[in-house]
């Protein structure tokens, strides 16, 4: 389970430009070959959309599919 802390949150927000919460947030970090945003923190790689969910909503339950509404 991901241990959320202020350092990991800061890492995430450093890779997203300032935008209103309801707007699409462009990812300014690494993009994998499938087009998904990724970031590395303490040796582990995190998908940007799943990390965002965990920051804003909490833990991801087993079997839950996390999508982003803009499909950017």
């Amino acid at each position: 389970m991901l241990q959320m802390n202020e350092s990991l949150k800061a890492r995430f927000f450093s890779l997203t430009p300032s935008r209103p919460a309801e707007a699409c947030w462009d990812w300014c970090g690494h993009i994998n070959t499938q087009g998904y945003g990724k970031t590395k923190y303490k040796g582990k790689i995190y998908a940007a959309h799943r990390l965002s969910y965990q920051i804003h909503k909490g833990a991801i339950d087993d079997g839950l599919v996390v999508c982003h509404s803009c499909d950017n």
Side-chain angles (χ1 to χ4, degrees), residues 36-68:
Y36 286 95
K38 300 280 184 177
T39 190
K40 191 173 186 179
Y41 179 77
K42 291 191 175 181
K44 184 165 174 155
I45 297 173
Y46 297 96
H49 65 290
R50 292 179 60 85
L51 181 55
S52 180
Y53 182 94
Q54 291 173 86
I55 289 170
H56 295 94
K57 303 284 187 179
I60 300 172
D61 294 332
D62 288 340
L64 180 65
V65 176
V66 176
C67 298
H68 38 93

Side-chain angles (χ1 to χ4, degrees), residues 11-12 15-17 25-31 36-39 48:
R11 172 88 178 133
F12 173 82
L15 295 168
T16 56
W25 295 4
D26 292 327
W27 181 251
C28 296
H30 178 76
I31 305 291
Y36 286 95
K38 300 280 184 177
T39 190

